[in-house]
Amino acid sequence: MSESTIAAISTPQGSGGISIVRMSGDKSFDIIKKIFKPINNRALDKEKDNRMMRYGHIEKDGRIFDEVMVNFMKGPNTYTREDICEINCHGSMISVRDILNLLLDMGCELADRGEFTKRAFLNGRIDLSQAEAVLDIINSTNELSQKQGLKHLSGLLREKIEEIRNIELEALSRIEYSINFTEDGEDLPVDNIIDFMQKAYDEISKLLATANKGKLVKDGIETTIIGKPNVGKSSLLNVLLNENRAIVTDIPGTTRDSITEYINLGNLTLKINDTAGIRETHDEVEKIGVQRSKELAEDADLIIAIFDRSRKLDHEDKMILDMLKGKNAIIILNKIDLDSKISKIDFDDSFKIIETSMVSRDGVDKLEGAIFDIFDSKELNKESLMITNLRHERLLNSSRKKLESSLDDIKAYVPIDCVEVDLRSSYDDLGLIIGETVSDKIMDKVFREFCVGK
Ligand code: GDP
């Protein structure tokens, strides 16, 4: 348990109905008792008022700071496992700032970023992957990423990692036994050890196979909208965003800089990289735009290619079609409110083709369905546990690599203590995911991403 009692504002900055100022640590009860004046005059009681809401004022030296509801929670059954007190005050910057200052004057220390969650981790209530899940839930932009966050928070990843570590431990303990208790490693049950190692290898591989989907769920689908100038790229973005962030204009090539926007489509989030018009040009500024568009299309998880249905396909359109080969792409034939010069049959029917008007918004709703089909959002929904965190993915990769090398060694009859070194290192990498052997440096890096007050 930590020596200090920490305090912070746990709700977002700005005015709102309510804000919460939170304390955690041994002194929480003494401090709140000194500054809280209950309306019904019954003094705050550590046992009776545990997990109860009390109504009153925060008051000190005759000054009333605010009318509040106070919720005291006795450790260890709390978020941090320490005594916690949450003061629900009015959501004004003045109230929260003054109450926080008062708590600091009364002996609290200002909490660091993520320090409440860090305490929950240090006090053994959650492992590091669960602490990271808290952050994922706070930052989730769609239902699936929030659900995955909740799964990780419930300890599902920790259980899986522990299961794999236990399998590796079976192999390790047999190796250690033979090193310590038999002469020259004789009687080593090699086949048996290989079986355990192979099983652990397969389990790590299965987890790693979910990382791509996990990334889509958590970080969003990298989407690039491409098409010649004036086909309706900015208009589409505006329709999707439902607000005018991108400039819609009649002048070709004015959307020169790339803008990234996030669009939430129920279970999925699109991270849309709007680009400068793709076309061959002698204009230096636009050349950068074309190059960038090509790069973005290269890296994109999804390309939305727009064509103007009221114009014949030209050389530039064909260049754009070439870019789509082998990619997840949706073709939009826009401007169906005008006379048509092209139709679906002019396109490769392996792609989803949607006809739209950005003016009347006809057909735009079909885009969402097409995206869901490509990314099989129903399948994503079924996936029980996904790797969504890059730190976890890297550690799993590193663990698997070491396991692979120890498997190669044992099969090649390399001395068993060499096999043991890599296997132990693979085991330790898995431990880092749940924070078993974690260094201060890694811990600081994880919690630095949190906001103050969580
Ligand atoms: P971008 O250069 O590809 O981003 O194209 P914009 O979205 O700026 O659109 C170019 C012009 O076409 C603007 O004047 C839009 O109002 C117009 N436009 C976009 N979509 C449609 C559509 O579906 N029908 C018609 N008639 N005009 C459209």
Side-chain angles (χ1 to χ4, degrees), residues 152-408:
H152 286 216
L153 183 62
S154 75
L156 219 58
L157 181 62
R158 187 198 58 218
E159 282 165 24
K160 191 78 216 170
I161 296 294
E162 278 172 353
E163 184 189 313
I164 303 173
R165 287 187 102 209
N166 282 336
I167 300 171
E168 290 195 346
L169 208 55
E170 294 283 349
L172 267 175
S173 56
R174 281 167 175 77
I175 292 174
E176 298 233 329
Y177 180 84
S178 84
I179 293 174
N180 293 324
F181 300 107
T182 64
E183 263 172 44
D184 299 332
E186 63 190 22
D187 298 334
L188 187 69
V190 175
D191 288 348
N192 194 226
I193 292 171
I194 290 177
D195 283 351
F196 281 118
M197 287 163 77
Q198 189 60 50
K199 182 142 192 275
Y201 184 90
D202 294 345
E203 289 295 326
I204 295 176
S205 299
K206 261 194 244 164
L207 264 188
L208 271 171
T210 66
N212 272 345
K213 282 188 197 162
K215 182 179 155 285
L216 290 183
V217 165
K218 190 176 146 206
D219 302 334
I221 297 168
E222 290 269 350
T223 306
T224 300
I225 302 176
I226 60 175
K228 276 190 326 189
N230 259 342
V231 292
K233 298 182 295 297
S234 307
S235 306
L236 171 70
L237 189 64
N238 281 347
V239 169
L240 289 177
L241 282 169
N242 223 351
E243 48 186 288
N244 292 331
R245 285 207 205 119
I247 308 156
V248 181
T249 170
D250 279 334
I251 309 159
T254 44
T255 321
R256 283 180 176 177
D257 296 317
S258 289
I259 314 162
T260 300
E261 298 280 3
Y262 290 86
I263 287 162
N264 191 10
L265 295 178
N267 273 337
L268 298 170
T269 300
L270 300 188
K271 185 181 173 200
I272 297 207
N273 299 309
D274 183 29
T275 67
I278 291 186
R279 60 178 196 171
E280 288 175 328
T281 171
H282 299 293
D283 179 319
E284 276 306 312
V285 180
E286 285 208 338
K287 262 188 190 165
I288 299 165
V290 171
Q291 186 51 38
R292 179 94 182 106
S293 296
K294 283 184 180 163
E295 283 165 20
L296 287 170
E298 276 293 310
D299 296 339
D301 301 317
L302 172 70
I303 301 174
I304 299 176
I306 310 188
F307 301 88
D308 183 343
R309 207 188 63 160
S310 69
R311 288 168 188 273
K312 285 213 159 81
L313 290 181
D314 63 13
H315 171 63
E316 289 176 341
D317 287 314
K318 301 219 164 95
M319 267 176 56
I320 289 162
L321 280 170
D322 276 346
M323 278 190 201
L324 307 185
K325 284 183 186 140
K327 299 274 166 78
N328 282 333
I330 293 173
I331 289 174
I332 290 187
L333 306 185
N334 189 35
K335 308 199 185 183
I336 52 170
D337 51 303
L338 304 177
D339 284 345
S340 70
K341 293 275 168 32
I342 49 175
S343 76
K344 283 185 178 182
I345 52 168
D346 297 312
F347 294 86
D348 179 349
D349 63 4
S350 65
F351 292 113
K352 286 246 170 221
I353 302 172
I354 292 166
E355 294 179 299
T356 62
S357 165
M358 299 305 160
V359 175
S360 66
R361 301 195 175 192
D362 278 342
V364 180
D365 53 337
K366 295 203 184 90
L367 179 64
E368 294 187 11
I371 296 171
F372 286 164
D373 283 351
I374 288 184
F375 292 96
D376 222 344
S377 64
K378 277 202 198 96
E379 279 299 309
L380 287 177
N381 225 342
K382 275 193 232 147
E383 199 76 53
S384 58
L385 178 67
M386 287 186 227
I387 297 300
T388 53
N389 182 310
L390 194 62
R391 192 182 74 84
H392 302 167
E393 187 184 351
R394 287 196 172 164
L395 284 167
L396 282 168
N397 261 319
S398 154
S399 172
R400 183 171 67 173
K401 227 165 136 189
K402 289 164 185 168
L403 187 54
E404 189 173 14
S405 114
S406 62
L407 259 169
D408 288 347

Side-chain angles (χ1 to χ4, degrees), residues 98-115:
D98 286 359
I99 291 173
L100 178 64
N101 276 330
L102 178 61
L103 297 181
L104 300 181
D105 288 346
M106 299 296 292
C108 285
E109 283 175 23
L110 191 61
D112 261 345
R113 288 176 164 272
E115 196 170 352

